[in-house]
């Protein structure tokens, strides 16, 4: 029988979700996608629930998407951004969060540069914690919206071939995608310069490719990642121009393939570096559908975690 509740009270990483959890999130998101396309987009599911969005790192998509998801569910929402907080005066993460919780917050959405920060909070406080990206570790809601978008386009992901291109070494999106897609039965490859691919990644059961054309010929979906210059303390490739020449995906390359690969990107896009504009804006690209699906996926997660609070 299909599961009707999540196995966990937090969403800390895809690693900790079961296949039933993932399918339940997808099923719930399908219903919410229908809701957010109605003229009246708001439902009362999270009335009397207060959610704090704690962003200790920059974000456009994830922050707006969570806030919209919370408001569509009628939650009370408070937003915190590290740059304008008392963290600058030396307050610890736990003190900051405990002070926020004293204001009777039920759920915390947290993005933090330190891997493990959401798991640390989950050990110390009673609220439901949702990881909105922790350093180079995991970005579970991104992976769920990615897999949901692939599923909309291709159907069941079992045996589908997904290649993740670019800066795998610094990417939380890559790791969460690998866990999520493998749980759903897909085959996963990573492709990029050897310096940007973690040494032992094949131990996760992924194929490793260094040639973009070979990877594009192999895959049904190309999920293209940004070069995360802000996390790179040393040079991993000679120049962005050279990266673009050897690892960038352009229209001439796509048109030369026998198959029509689905193009994805979690954003923010560096146009002209990892992807050209004519690829990002082409009919093969589902980049904006990913963003739309992000709201439905986040509504589903908030709703399912709130349902567990009521028990
Ligand atoms: N995809 C993603 O996490 O984008 P933001 O950094 O803008 O939230």
């Amino acid at each position: 029988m299909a599961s009707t509740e999540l196995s966990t009270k937090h969403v800390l990483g895809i690693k900790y979700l079961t296949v039933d959890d993932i399918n339940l999130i997808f099923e719930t998101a399908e219903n919410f996608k229908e809701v957010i396309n109605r003229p009246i987009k708001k439902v009362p599911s999270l009335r009397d629930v207060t959610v704090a969005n704690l962003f200790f790192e920059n974000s456009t998509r994830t922050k707006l998407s969570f806030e919209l998801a919370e408001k569509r569910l009628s939650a009370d929402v408070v937003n915190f951004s590290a740059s304008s907080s008392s963290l600058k005066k030396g307050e610890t993460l736990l003190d900051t969060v405990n002070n926020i919780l004293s204001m009777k917050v039920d759920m915390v959405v947290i993005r933090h540069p330190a891997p493990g920060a959401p798991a640390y909070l989950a050990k110390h406080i009673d609220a439901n914690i949702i990881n909105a990206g922790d350093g180079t570790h995991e970005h579970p809601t991104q992976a769920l919206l990615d897999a949901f978008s692939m599923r909309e386009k291709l159907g069941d992901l079992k045996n589908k071939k997904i290649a993740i291109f670019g800066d795998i070494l610094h990417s939380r999106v890559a790791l969460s995608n690998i866990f999520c897609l493998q749980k759903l039965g897909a085959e996963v490859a990573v492709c990029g310069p050897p310096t940007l691919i973690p040494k032992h990644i094949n131990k996760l059961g992924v194929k490793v490719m260094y040639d973009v054309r070979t990877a594009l010929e192999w895959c049904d979906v190309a999920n293209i990642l940004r070069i995360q210059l802000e996390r790179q303390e040393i040079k991993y490739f000679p120049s962005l121009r050279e990266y673009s020449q050897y690892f960038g995906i352009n229209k001439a390359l796509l048109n030369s393939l026998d198959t029509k690969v689905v193009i994805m990107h979690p954003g923010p896009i560096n146009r002209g570096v990892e992807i050209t504009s004519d690829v990002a804006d082409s009919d093969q690209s589902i980049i904006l559908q990913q963003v739309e699906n992000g709201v439905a996926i986040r509504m589903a997660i908030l709703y399912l975690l709130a349902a567990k609070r009521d028990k």
Side-chain angles (χ1 to χ4, degrees):
M1 206 172 78
S3 163
T4 54
E5 69 170 82
L6 292 178
S7 65
T8 166
K9 69 175 270 204
H10 308 290
V11 174
L12 301 176
I14 299 289
K15 197 172 176 184
Y16 313 106
L17 295 180
T18 64
V19 175
D20 280 351
D21 288 335
I22 295 172
N23 285 324
L24 177 61
I25 292 168
F26 287 170
E27 209 177 287
T28 313
E30 274 163 18
N31 293 332
F32 282 127
K33 189 162 176 184
E34 194 264 312
V35 169
I36 58 181
N37 280 297
R38 285 184 201 155
I40 296 170
K41 299 169 172 54
K42 214 163 166 164
V43 288
S45 315
L46 259 65
R47 215 168 45 199
D48 299 327
V49 173
T50 304
V51 188
N53 298 315
L54 312 185
F55 279 73
F56 295 84
E57 232 187 33
N58 292 343
S59 169
T60 301
R61 277 145 293 271
T62 312
K63 190 166 183 285
L64 286 176
S65 178
F66 265 113
E67 195 174 337
L68 205 54
E70 291 148 10
K71 288 180 171 165
R72 297 271 189 257
L73 291 168
S74 307
D76 293 318
V77 181
V78 285
N79 289 307
F80 163 94
S81 119
S83 55
S84 55
S85 73
S86 288
L87 280 175
K88 298 243 178 244
K89 301 175 192 164
E91 190 167 67
T92 66
L93 172 62
L94 194 55
D95 278 338
T96 301
V97 175
N98 270 327
N99 275 273
I100 293 167
L101 290 179
S102 304
M103 302 175 210
K104 307 288 174 238
V105 166
D106 303 298
M107 293 189 185
V108 171
V109 174
I110 177 170
R111 169 168 288 192
H112 200 280
Y120 171 76
L121 281 193
K123 281 204 184 103
H124 289 87
I125 61 178
D126 187 40
N128 305 98
I129 310 293
I130 304 173
N131 180 0
D134 59 334
T136 55
H137 178 225
E138 278 227 39
H139 192 348
T141 60
Q142 180 70 46
L144 288 164
L145 76 87
D146 287 345
F148 183 82
S149 306
M150 290 177 206
R151 207 166 144 269
E152 268 187 346
K153 193 78 188 166
L154 302 174
D156 188 353
L157 294 184
K158 197 166 168 49
N159 300 325
K160 294 291 185 308
K161 295 185 169 85
I162 320 297
I164 307 171
F165 292 82
D167 185 355
I168 312 298
L169 187 66
H170 300 97
S171 175
R172 52 194 175 211
V173 175
L175 190 60
S176 287
N177 260 264
I178 291 168
F179 289 147
C180 189
L181 294 167
Q182 287 182 337
K183 284 185 191 217
L184 296 171
E187 285 182 62
V188 184
V190 292
C191 176
T195 48
L196 288 176
I197 299 207
K199 270 204 184 76
H200 302 294
I201 197 159
N202 57 336
K203 297 214 166 106
L204 293 178
V206 299
K207 290 182 192 305
V208 179
M209 301 183 186
Y210 301 109
D211 178 64
V212 170
R213 171 177 286 281
T214 308
L216 284 171
E217 282 170 349
W218 174 83
C219 69
D220 300 303
V221 177
N223 196 359
I224 304 160
L225 306 180
R226 180 176 68 89
I227 297 294
Q228 300 200 36
L229 291 173
E230 74 277 19
R231 295 194 204 278
Q232 299 181 10
E233 280 160 13
I234 57 168
K235 257 188 169 311
Y236 289 86
F237 49 88
S239 68
L240 286 177
R241 199 155 70 101
E242 196 160 317
Y243 181 85
S244 163
Q245 190 177 339
Y246 290 102
F247 293 97
I249 296 184
N250 59 54
K251 201 71 169 86
L253 181 55
L254 279 193
N255 288 346
S256 71
L257 304 173
D258 290 334
T259 53
K260 211 168 173 192
V261 173
V262 177
I263 299 294
M264 300 180 66
H265 194 305
I269 296 175
N270 283 322
R271 287 175 184 260
V273 179
E274 71 272 5
I275 188 170
T276 52
S277 282
D278 51 6
V279 173
D281 304 331
S282 72
D283 64 354
Q284 283 173 253
S285 160
I286 60 165
I287 294 171
L288 292 178
Q289 284 96 309
Q290 289 174 257
V291 178
E292 180 184 346
N293 287 334
V295 178
I297 284 287
R298 290 171 177 124
M299 284 174 83
I301 291 169
L302 291 158
Y303 172 83
L304 290 166
L305 291 179
K308 275 189 90 74
R309 280 190 85 75
D310 295 339
K311 295 232 157 124

